[in-house]
């Protein structure tokens, strides 16, 4: 494995060779990393014990192990479980528990992680990211509910068998299910989301985003800790329980599953810390009831939030995909249109090439004949330069149109737009023997728009107009392009032909996708034009009379206030 | 027309017209340039060229229309049609309309000069004089 790429991907095991066999260096590092994490998580679990009872409200190692399994190809699962054994022994043997019990807990902990991971993997193949409603619901059902529940039967049986403590089987079972379910819902999402997080995104985020995250977590911490204040403590009004909720929702709406999992963990830690320190609203009861109340409260808060974050993430992705598809379709239609214009474009390039070649060959003759007048040679060279610049200009314009880029709004002049488009279609107009009448209103108010998309819009209208005049006698073909300042501070651009026109009943259908009156063509042009115009807050409409030609008008609104050029 | 051939160039593109004119002058020909078919028809009525290098796609009167206008004259001026948009169908139409040759742009000097000499030779042969 290439160590550079693994460092860049954030998680060595999630990188490209997801299912490749063998235990390579990066896998060994990952296994050791998980073992160390398991040990630290166990130490943390001991710290959450509600004294004088030996109960821990949150036992994170099992959840960490489950999350690690879900981030790892199943061929490495045995290694992870094996590496957890020394970490488990090291952590537990310090606490004076009999060896038989320690080994029994190792077995039940591993069984919990394995049951959860196997069930989740069966429904969600590949790494679990909690970024879809289905995968999050699967995790909640299999990882948070089924895994702690099923493994606790074994755990309680082992504890009873060894005779550790004096609690009965069902009490042991109930205590362990809740404690482990809480750990799964708090710790596993944290590991899962951060384990597959691309840290490059963090570095690329603008300062405002960092500031927002800082504000969110400061507010969340304050809202969670306010419950732990001694003077509120026991007498907390129930409304105060909801103090962290706005911040948790903020995290779900703005910071995705990763932010939500982190926010839930922060709130849970603050609440548990308060309870362990004898502060906060959960104190005052017996430790067992206190733990149960707090666990149920935290689980009830975390589950819907994780689902909400996943649903929002899914929606964002759908919107992103739709936008991406629109961009792709617009680009494809643009390239297809340039294909239709290829004859005219070749014509536009061949003209300067002819001038360059003939000028150069003429100069060579003059020099060979010793009739080279320096002034004439200078003129020839100047003409070669001009012709070359003209060809370069054609290519530059085309390259911008061929390129697939992001939408980029800038200040534009509608007349420049029309002139640019005319330069691109000039060859086509010559070949089709179409006479263009250009009537530009000067000066026009500036527009705000994407140059390439608006050029595409204009090209589409002009090409449609040209094609509509195919049946008109050559010397009668007239294309009129007109710009006018609108009364509202915007601009109206009209493209008129004297072709076949269209019937009133065809009018609204013209803008529907896949509706076409041409023998060749997909029928996407005008539908894409309308999308482009809408994205510019404008309006596109047609007016026509059969046999007298058609006119298409684009109204583009004035620049928004405060965005003056 | 003894010695120096007199060639007319008709092209609406000024840079092309100028460059072709220089090339033919450098090759020892006498050249007159016209920016449109109409201008050329008026000019050739005053002095008949030995050969015309005629652009096909021009606003107003196209090369094909100029060819048709030239035809009734006997003997007709040999015309070499040049175009920046080469298509088999257009080539067929031009040759059918009486073009001496059909050359796509950009034009190499040898191809152009060979086409001009060939058309001049053909114009001198008796069957073209009738």
């Amino acid at each position: 494995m290439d160590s550079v790429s693994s460092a860049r991907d954030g998680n060595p095991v999630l990188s490209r060779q997801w299912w490749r066999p063998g235990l390579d260096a990066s896998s060994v590092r990952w296994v050791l990393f998980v073992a160390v994490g398991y040990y630290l998580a166990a130490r943390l679990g001991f710290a959450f014990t509600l004294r004088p009872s030996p109960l821990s409200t949150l036992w994170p190692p099992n959840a960490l192990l489950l999350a690690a399994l879900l981030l790892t190809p199943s061929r490495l699962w045995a290694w992870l479980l094996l590496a957890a054994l020394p970490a488990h022994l090291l952590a537990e043997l310090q606490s004076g528990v009999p060896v038989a019990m320690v080994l029994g807990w190792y077995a039940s902990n591993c069984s919990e992680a394995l049951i959860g991971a196997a069930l989740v993997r069966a429904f969600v193949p590949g790494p679990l990211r909690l970024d879809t409603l289905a995968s999050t619901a699967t995790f909640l059902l299999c990882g948070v509910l089924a895994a702690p529940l099923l493994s606790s039967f074994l755990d309680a049986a082992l504890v009873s068998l060894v005779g550790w403590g004096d609690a009965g089987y069902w009490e042991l079972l109930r205590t362990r299910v809740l404690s482990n379910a809480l750990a799964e819902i708090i710790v596993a999402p944290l590991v899962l989301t951060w384990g597959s997080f691309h840290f490059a995104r963090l570095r690329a985020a603008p300062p405002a985003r960092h500031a927002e995250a800082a504000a969110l977590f400061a507010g969340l911490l304050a809202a969670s800790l306010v419950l732990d204040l001694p003077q509120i403590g026991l007498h907390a009004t129930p409304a105060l329980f909801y103090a962290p909720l706005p911040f948790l929702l903020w995290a779900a709406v703005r910071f995705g599953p990763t932010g939500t999992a982190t926010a839930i963990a922060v709130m849970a830690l603050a609440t548990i810390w308060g309870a362990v320190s004898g502060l906060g609203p959960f104190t005052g009861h017996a430790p067992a009831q206190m733990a149960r109340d707090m666990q149920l409260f935290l689980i009830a808060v975390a589950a819907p939030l994780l689902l909400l974050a996943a649903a929002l993430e899914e929606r964002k992705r759908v919107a992103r995909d739709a936008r991406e598809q629109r961009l792709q379709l617009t680009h494809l239609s643009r390239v297809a249109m340039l294909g239709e214009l290829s004859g005219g474009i070749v014509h536009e390039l061949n003209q300067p090439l002819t001038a360059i070649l003939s000028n150069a060959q003429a100069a060579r003759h003059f020099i060979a004949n010793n009739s080279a007048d320096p002034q004439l040679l200078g003129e020839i060279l100047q003409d070669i330069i001009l012709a070359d610049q003209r060809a370069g200009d054609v290519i530059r314009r085309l390259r911008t149109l061929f390129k697939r880029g992001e939408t980029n709004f800038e200040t534009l002049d509608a007349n420049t737009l029309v002139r640019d488009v005319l330069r691109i279609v000039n060859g086509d107009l010559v070949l089709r023997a179409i006479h263009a009448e250009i009537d530009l209103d000067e000066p026009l108010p500036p527009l705000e728009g994407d140059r390439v998309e608006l050029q595409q819009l204009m090209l589409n209208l002009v090409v449609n107009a040209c094609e509509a005049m195919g049946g008109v006698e050559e010397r009668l073909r007239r294309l009129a392009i007109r710009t006018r300042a609108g009364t509202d501070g915007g601009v109206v651009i009209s493209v008129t032909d004297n072709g076949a026109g269209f019937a009133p009943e065809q009018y609204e259908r013209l803008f529907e996708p896949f509706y076409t009156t041409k023998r060749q063509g997909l029928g996407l042009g005008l539908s894409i034009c309308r999308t482009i115009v809408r994205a510019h807050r404008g309006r596109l409409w047609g007016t026509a009379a059969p046999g007298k030609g058609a006119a298409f008008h684009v109204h583009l609104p004035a620049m928004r206030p405060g965005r003056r050029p | 027309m003894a010695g120096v051939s007199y060639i007319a160039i008709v092209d609406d593109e000024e840079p092309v017209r100028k460059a072709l004119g220089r090339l033919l002058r450098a090759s020892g020909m006498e050249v007159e340039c016209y920016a449109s078919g109409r201008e050329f028809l008026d000019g050739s009525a005053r002095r008949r060229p030995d050969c015309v290098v005629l652009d096909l796609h021009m606003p107003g009167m196209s090369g094909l229309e100029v060819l048709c206008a030239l035809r009734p004259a006997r003997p007709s001026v040999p015309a070499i049609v040049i175009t920046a948009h080469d298509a088999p169908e257009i080539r067929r139409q031009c040759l059918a309309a009486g073009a001496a040759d059909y050359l796509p742009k950009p034009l190499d000097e040898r191809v152009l000069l060979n086409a001009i000499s060939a058309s001049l030779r053909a114009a001198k042969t008796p069957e073209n004089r009738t």
Side-chain angles (χ1 to χ4, degrees), chain A residues 351 359 364-365 383 390, chain B residues 13 22 84 105 108-109:
Chain A
Q351 297 288 35
N359 271 319
R364 193 171 61 183
H365 270 286
D383 285 352
R390 175 176 160 192
Chain B
E13 284 276 336
R22 282 173 184 147
K105 289 179 186 175
D108 186 72
E109 58 175 328

Side-chain angles (χ1 to χ4, degrees), chain A residues 25-79:
Chain A
S26 75
S27 304
V28 171
R29 277 201 299 276
W30 171 241
V31 167
L32 291 178
F33 181 70
V34 172
V36 172
Y38 186 97
Y39 173 78
L40 294 175
R43 300 302 306 163
L44 194 68
F46 286 126
F48 291 147
T49 304
L50 290 174
R51 303 201 188 278
S53 148
L55 292 169
S56 176
T57 37
L58 182 88
W59 184 248
N62 308 358
L64 181 109
L65 201 53
L66 168 63
L69 292 180
L70 285 174
L71 286 171
T72 314
S74 38
R75 66 185 164 82
L76 292 177
W77 283 8
W79 290 105

Side-chain angles (χ1 to χ4, degrees), chain A residues 7-32:
Chain A
R8 201 172 41 229
D9 291 350
N11 184 320
V13 192
L14 283 179
S15 49
R16 275 166 286 137
Q17 54 287 68
W18 174 241
W19 297 112
R20 204 180 289 170
L23 191 66
D24 52 22
S26 75
S27 304
V28 171
R29 277 201 299 276
W30 171 241
V31 167
L32 291 178

Side-chain angles (χ1 to χ4, degrees), chain A residues 244-280:
Chain A
L245 196 61
F247 298 98
L248 293 172
L249 288 172
W250 181 358
V253 171
R254 297 276 301 157
F255 292 92
T258 313
T260 309
T262 313
I264 291 172
V266 167
M267 188 199 87
L269 286 179
T271 310
I272 295 170
W273 174 78
V276 171
S277 318
L279 303 165

Side-chain angles (χ1 to χ4, degrees), chain A residues 484-529:
Chain A
R484 286 289 177 270
T487 46
D488 61 343
V491 172
V492 180
I493 310 174
S494 305
V495 178
T496 310
D497 63 65
N498 60 351
F502 52 82
E505 62 269 21
Q506 287 177 306
Y507 177 73
E508 262 316 309
R509 300 211 61 198
L510 286 175
F511 298 98
E512 285 174 19
F514 303 111
Y515 178 81
T516 182
T517 56
K518 302 177 192 172
R519 261 182 304 172
Q520 284 177 325
L522 281 175
L524 281 176
L526 280 176
S527 126
I528 288 172
C529 282

Side-chain angles (χ1 to χ4, degrees), chain B residues 40-90:
Chain B
F40 163 69
L41 289 178
D42 294 346
S44 61
R46 288 192 296 275
R47 183 182 169 193
R48 187 181 175 280
D50 299 317
C51 173
V52 55
V53 177
L54 180 63
D55 183 39
L56 189 59
H57 293 287
M58 292 184 291
M61 197 173 194
S62 77
L64 213 54
E65 287 172 305
V66 175
L67 269 183
C68 296
L70 280 176
R71 257 186 131 175
R74 287 286 182 272
S76 150
V77 179
I80 294 165
V81 173
I82 58 173
T83 177
H85 177 70
D86 181 23
E89 171 62 16
I90 298 172

